[in-house]
Amino acid sequence: MFSQWKKVACPHDCPGGCIMEARYDPLSDILELRRPEKDLGATSFCAKGLRWFERRKSLLRIKTPLLRGEGGGFASISWQKAWDLWAKALEEGLSRGGPLSNALYRSGGSLYFSKNFLPSLHASLGGYTSSMGNLCSSAGNRGLRNCFGQVPVQPLKVLREKGKSLLFWGRNVLENHLSLVPLARELRDRGGSMGVLEIRSTPTVSWCDCQWILAPGGDCFLAAWLCRRLLKEKRAFPGWKSGVCNPEAFTAFLETLREEELLRRSGMCEEQALDLYEWLLESAPVTHYLGYGMQRYCHGELQAWWVGALAVLLGALEVPGSAVVFGKDEMARFPDSLLIDPPSKRSFPEGRFWRSLKQAFPSVHTLAIFCGNPVKQAPEGYAIAEAIREIPFSVCLDYTLTETARCCSLVLPSAFFFEEGPDWRGSYGHSLLCRTERLVPPSGECRGDVDIFDGLARTLGLSLKLLEKVREMDSLLSASLDLEKIDTSVYAWKEPNFWDASSSTSAKLPLKLPPEHLVRNPDPSELRLVSYHVKQYINGQNWDLSQENFLSVSLSPEDAREIGVLEGDEVRLRNCGNPEGVLGRVRIDSAMRSGYCAVPQGNALLNTLTIPLVSPGYGVPFSESFVRLTKE
């Protein structure tokens, strides 16, 4: 007999934060899904969200704790044996180098609130080493904080009521932000226009009313050109200076810039730039949606900062619907008071985290990895694998033997989000919170991450009770007066609108642009390597899809002719980090400019070609890598 319908929310690090209903029949072991009757942020899960429910029966899933032997193979052990080994290693780390000898690494594998409790165990032991920043949004968030003092938020309700047109700066909404598409259609139906700036062909480029192609990293130069033109022709919003703390310095800086040079570095000709310029004025108010790829450069913060400046000149601080949208704190309603502050903590920037571990003093004795697969997701993946193997004791919590898990001493089988609970999920795409409960029992001996750390705390003899903290969180949020229950297990909160004209908002506009060559002067024979999100998976979280032993490489027609390749030809991509190279298969994209190649994320081979760098905000500038392409 089926259980009652319960709410579930996809855990993916994605702006959708999709909420659905599910029920389970234990006799038939069938899980049914349906859309909620009310509009709850998204109409349904996308394909990558739906795969979570198929994965529970995957043959790849691990169901017992696994210990790696001397030969590299894994053997099943009991949970108590696993906790004993881990606890002993943590105690050895404390005795050898203090709490900083024990490290934690977390990525964006799940946005459920309970994951925030996991570092509390290490905090109870005196502290830990971890990374700061992240693989995806840190640089862009830094640029917006530089501009507005915080990462500005425009609730979807404001866009629905006051907005008109949208401009996507590299955000491929038709594949990676599907929950926004119904609202975009609604705006279009009432006279709005959809525009997109991109470096390649995407479904969003074809879907939008207007399209403009620019060079990778050219966004800030294009935004600077548009700002200069608005002031030069006196077509900027009349009151823009009143909300800016440095209007004279900004105006003076723009006057020092040459329009021809800005257009050259943007990769756009004057005719196209003028077309965009007129579209922005005719389609106002325009909400600017920033993509995540545009900030993956050494000065990714300037990309967001300059688009913020453009929005201000177009009236963002005064006119509803003229906002800049990038991301926001999906954990904003998490009760931080329940966390334990570590007495000591050492943090290394995300882009250099693994190299820093190898040089750290005191050295790292244990490492716990959860919600991530850095060997596949992060630059210089092969070096990350080596760094993990060199650590005396490493633990990975995951569903399968991922590329990262295979490098670890101990692998612990995690439960899926619908196999544990109660838990809560926020979103950086809407203003709803979803409370979830267990739908199905965990598979095999799988346990939720909090349950795993709770067992470790017991083994260590700590008074910390993590499962009780989760229940306390659940009680606090369920009873919160700041949340309005709008449906079973779904809560809304009145999210502050940064762009409210009645607020005392001010902006500081940028007074610099990136130098010509950010890392080094590229060799003329090299192409910039640009990676992008795809609809099939989130970053490297694609363990249930077939893995090709080559990369799909998109090239401009000009570069394809220069290399001497046709559609479908095989090429080899090489650089100093991987002189042997990686095989690729050519796709010719008539929309692309010359000088770069575009490759989808998610293949472990890709990150043998990327280099670990740090950008302001501790972001990771993937797109500062260069490769040489030769025909096979």
Side-chain angles (χ1 to χ4, degrees):
M1 180 180 295
F2 279 101
S3 63
Q4 291 183 336
W5 290 100
K6 296 180 180 180
K7 296 291 190 301
V8 289
C10 181
H12 272 316
D13 183 3
C14 165
C18 298
I19 299 171
M20 286 190 72
E21 291 181 332
R23 64 179 183 176
Y24 176 65
D25 179 5
L27 294 178
S28 62
D29 194 29
I30 292 176
L31 190 64
E32 288 188 346
L33 302 171
R34 73 179 185 186
R35 297 178 182 180
E37 293 180 0
K38 293 184 180 180
D39 179 11
L40 299 176
T43 56
S44 65
F45 278 152
C46 65
K48 56 181 173 277
L50 286 170
R51 286 210 313 275
W52 279 110
F53 302 97
E54 302 167 3
R55 287 170 168 171
R56 70 187 181 98
K57 296 184 178 181
S58 171
L59 297 178
L60 295 174
R61 192 171 179 190
I62 56 174
K63 298 181 180 180
T64 64
L66 299 175
L67 180 65
R68 185 157 60 93
E70 293 183 2
F74 287 89
S76 295
I77 59 173
S78 69
W79 272 108
Q80 193 54 58
K81 176 68 173 177
W83 286 322
D84 288 341
L85 291 169
W86 192 359
K88 180 182 178 182
L90 285 168
E91 290 168 344
E92 289 174 350
L94 290 172
S95 64
R96 293 183 181 186
L100 300 184
S101 288
N102 295 321
L104 288 172
Y105 179 85
R106 173 187 179 182
S107 191
S110 171
L111 296 186
Y112 269 90
F113 281 10
S114 66
K115 308 301 179 184
N116 293 338
F117 289 111
L118 303 186
S120 292
L121 183 143
H122 284 62
S124 296
L125 295 175
Y128 51 91
T129 293
S130 68
S131 64
M132 55 183 170
N134 59 49
L135 292 168
C136 208
S137 60
S138 292
N141 284 341
R142 170 52 56 195
L144 291 174
R145 289 192 188 98
N146 290 345
C147 193
F148 301 109
Q150 60 183 281
V151 178
V153 173
Q154 175 180 268
L156 286 177
K157 181 180 178 181
V158 176
L159 181 59
R160 176 172 280 110
E161 294 176 353
K162 304 291 186 180
K164 181 184 176 183
S165 302
L166 305 179
L167 179 59
F168 304 113
W169 293 75
R171 185 173 287 226
N172 184 8
V173 289
L174 251 65
E175 293 196 0
N176 302 313
H177 195 167
L178 280 170
S179 58
L180 185 64
V181 174
L183 177 53
R185 289 195 177 108
E186 185 179 323
L187 296 177
R188 178 188 267 165
D189 290 344
R190 68 177 192 229
S193 180
M194 303 296 117
V196 60
L197 289 156
E198 258 294 357
I199 66 168
R200 63 187 185 93
S201 297
T202 71
T204 302
V205 168
S206 303
W207 178 78
C208 282
D209 304 302
C210 299
Q211 310 85 9
W212 301 274
I213 301 296
L214 73 168
D219 311 73
C220 57
F221 301 100
L222 176 61
W225 183 90
L226 292 165
C227 288
R228 194 178 192 283
R229 180 61 63 124
L230 285 167
L231 294 181
K232 179 180 177 181
E233 296 188 352
K234 296 182 171 54
R235 298 178 75 181
F237 184 78
W240 74 271
K241 290 185 179 180
S242 63
V244 174
C245 67
N246 61 340
E248 290 79 15
F250 179 69
T251 302
F253 176 71
L254 283 176
E255 290 174 353
T256 68
L257 304 177
R258 294 175 53 244
E259 290 191 8
E260 299 82 2
E261 181 66 7
L262 292 173
L263 288 177
R264 180 186 72 81
R265 297 193 64 185
S266 76
M268 192 176 289
C269 68
E270 185 176 26
E271 180 182 0
Q272 293 170 322
L274 285 171
D275 182 57
L276 170 60
Y277 174 70
E278 293 297 337
W279 179 87
L280 284 167
L281 293 167
E282 294 169 1
S283 303
V286 176
T287 293
H288 301 260
Y289 269 87
L290 308 188
Y292 290 85
M294 65 175 286
Q295 48 112 45
R296 292 189 168 190
Y297 302 85
C298 275
H299 282 283
E301 90 288 3
L302 287 175
Q303 306 286 353
W305 200 348
W306 273 99
V307 177
L310 173 62
V312 168
L313 264 60
L314 290 170
L317 298 179
E318 299 290 338
V319 181
S322 298
V324 175
V325 178
F326 181 54
K328 61 184 180 183
D329 182 9
E330 63 278 349
M331 301 290 177
R333 305 309 301 168
F334 176 80
D336 291 321
S337 60
L338 297 178
L339 297 179
I340 299 174
D341 291 327
S344 62
K345 183 178 177 181
R346 173 175 61 179
S347 299
F348 298 124
E350 175 71 40
R352 302 279 295 184
F353 178 71
W354 302 100
R355 286 193 177 185
S356 299
L357 284 190
K358 298 183 75 170
Q359 303 163 0
F361 182 83
S363 62
V364 169
H365 184 75
T366 75
L367 169 67
I369 301 170
F370 57 97
C371 296
N373 183 6
V375 172
K376 191 173 189 179
Q377 292 174 296
E380 209 172 41
Y382 60 89
I384 295 173
E386 178 186 341
I388 294 172
R389 291 190 187 100
E390 290 178 355
I391 292 171
F393 192 85
S394 52
V395 184
C396 182
L397 282 65
D398 216 316
Y399 314 113
T400 67
L401 275 173
T402 65
E403 292 82 356
T404 298
R406 294 188 193 107
C407 302
C408 291
S409 314
L410 183 65
V411 183
L412 303 179
S414 290
F416 288 164
F417 62 97
F418 50 83
E419 295 175 340
E420 55 183 335
D423 210 339
W424 291 70
R425 166 76 158 92
S427 174
Y428 55 93
H430 55 70
S431 304
L432 301 178
L433 270 68
C434 180
R435 179 187 183 274
T436 63
E437 299 178 43
R438 177 182 288 188
L439 280 170
V440 301
S443 182
E445 296 182 35
C446 297
R447 291 175 178 259
D449 290 348
V450 175
D451 194 4
I452 293 172
F453 272 75
D454 194 69
L456 177 62
R458 290 195 305 273
T459 303
L460 286 162
L462 299 176
S463 60
L464 176 69
K465 298 188 184 304
L466 290 174
L467 290 172
E468 287 187 9
K469 282 188 172 290
V470 172
R471 287 191 285 270
E472 188 177 352
M473 172 192 74
D474 183 49
S475 297
L476 286 172
L477 290 173
S478 297
S480 174
L481 298 177
D482 296 328
L483 302 179
E484 176 189 0
K485 190 172 184 178
I486 62 171
D487 198 11
T488 306
S489 301
V490 180
Y491 299 77
W493 65 292
K494 191 174 182 182
E495 193 170 26
N497 177 20
F498 175 86
W499 307 97
D500 189 339
S502 64
S503 66
S504 56
T505 305
S506 64
K508 181 179 181 181
L509 305 189
L511 303 178
K512 60 181 178 180
L513 282 163
E516 179 73 26
H517 298 301
L518 305 179
V519 180
R520 60 181 176 82
N521 294 332
D523 187 290
S525 66
E526 293 178 317
L527 298 178
R528 183 183 291 274
L529 177 64
V530 178
S531 60
Y532 56 88
H533 291 75
V534 295
K535 67 179 180 181
Q536 293 94 336
Y537 45 82
I538 298 289
N539 295 330
Q541 305 304 316
N542 58 340
W543 52 266
D544 51 350
L545 295 178
S546 60
Q547 289 296 289
E548 304 288 354
N549 57 2
F550 58 86
L551 303 175
S552 175
V553 185
S554 294
L555 294 172
S556 70
E558 180 181 345
D559 286 329
R561 285 193 297 270
E562 181 70 23
I563 299 168
V565 293
L566 301 174
E567 180 84 16
D569 281 353
E570 287 192 357
V571 291
R572 189 169 289 273
L573 295 78
R574 296 183 176 90
N575 60 14
C576 58
N578 185 352
E580 180 180 341
V582 174
L583 282 176
R585 187 162 293 162
V586 171
R587 291 183 65 252
I588 298 177
D589 185 343
S590 60
M592 287 176 57
R593 311 284 190 221
S594 63
Y596 61 99
C597 59
V599 179
Q601 296 172 357
N603 190 314
L605 298 172
L606 172 62
N607 284 323
T608 66
L609 298 165
T610 53
I611 54 177
L613 297 168
V614 181
S615 61
Y618 306 109
V620 182
F622 285 77
S623 297
E624 297 295 355
S625 303
F626 291 84
V627 293
R628 297 182 303 279
L629 266 67
T630 54
K631 185 176 180 180
E632 279 291 289

